[in-house]
Amino acid sequence: RLARFARLGVGSWKLGIVIVLPLLGGCSASSKPSSPPPPQMLDVTLPDLSRMDPSVQEQVKQGYQSMLETVKKPGASAEERGRAYGGVGMLLQAGEYYDAAEPAYLNAQVLMPQEPRWPYFLAHLYKSEGNTAKSIDAFSRVLQISPNDVPTLIWLGRGYLDQGEAEKAEPLFERARQLAPMAPSVLVGLGQAALARRDFARAASTLEEALKIDPGLQSVHSPLAMAYRGLGETAKAEEHLRLWKNTEVLVPDPFRRELDLALESGLSYELRGVRALESRDFKAAEG
């Protein structure tokens, strides 16, 4: 009986091996890492370009054709495809075809998740459409990639001010001030955030500092007037109101400059002249 039991035991053990080995082999095969499927890309199509000059239409069409060739090219890298999509997005956004540009940027963002340009341009696109919430989300994504980008800190701070959220805007302007302490656009943002919190003394001193750096900031006289009125200094408030003009407080913005100059159009040449004047490159402005 013992011998028979032993034979059964050995037979059972051998049977176990026969069963287990294929299972182990199956686990090993299935555990091999497999490359993830390529991300699904959104359709990017050209809108009606008839309101553009013929030469600009041709530039956009050539850019679009180049994009199609790149994204369909066997072996094209994610970066190559991302830049192709993003480049077309820039052309379309520069021409104010926002709906057509959006999917191009979204594709570029998926393919190049660490490139700050695409969410940055998307943020300005949404801003142009008046969609402050989506613009804030996109600028926030840029900050995740480039935490110390001063233009992004300013634009995001302004977005929160537009939403009436000064408590979220102020830390962004504070961070920007540490990086660019003499930038008037940063100081104006800080002053406006203080004004929104009814800290009239800080608002007045910060806005005065911005005006001292750049006396041409005529639009700053309006929030300054409000700050002095809040402080009870009505004479100063009236003085600043008389000096007020509705002008833009410019943000030094290399990415935005790329976008402004993307098209070879009359508007693009005008913007190049403006940028050259801002940089005091008078020869380039004249050309």
Side-chain angles (χ1 to χ4, degrees), residues 122-192:
L122 264 174
H124 277 293
L125 184 153
Y126 294 136
K127 184 174 177 295
S128 298
E129 292 181 323
N131 194 331
T132 304
K134 290 184 81 170
S135 179
I136 284 173
D137 287 344
F139 278 129
S140 298
R141 183 182 176 90
V142 180
L143 276 193
Q144 290 172 0
I145 302 168
S146 302
N148 294 326
D149 187 68
V150 173
T152 302
L153 290 165
I154 295 170
W155 288 117
L156 185 54
R158 288 184 180 184
Y160 280 126
L161 285 179
D162 290 342
Q163 293 281 75
E165 298 180 274
E167 71 285 353
K168 292 182 179 178
E170 195 164 34
L172 295 166
F173 290 122
E174 291 283 10
R175 205 155 106 208
R177 188 178 194 179
Q178 292 174 0
L179 298 162
M182 299 296 287
S185 52
V186 173
L187 295 170
V188 171
L190 268 175
Q192 289 177 324

Side-chain angles (χ1 to χ4, degrees), residues 18 22 29 31 33 45 54 64 72 101 120 122 131-132 141 145 148 154 184 187 198 203 208 229 251 287:
V18 171
S31 65
T45 57
Y64 181 76
K72 292 177 181 178
Y120 192 85
L122 264 174
N131 194 331
T132 304
R141 183 182 176 90
I145 302 168
N148 294 326
I154 295 170
L187 295 170
R198 302 181 67 80
E208 287 283 15
R229 186 177 288 120
V251 178

Side-chain angles (χ1 to χ4, degrees), residues 42 44 89 92 97-107 122 125-126 129 134:
L42 300 171
V44 179
L92 292 169
Y97 293 99
Y98 302 131
D99 289 343
E102 183 182 15
Y105 285 141
L106 291 172
N107 287 346
L122 264 174
L125 184 153
Y126 294 136
E129 292 181 323
K134 290 184 81 170

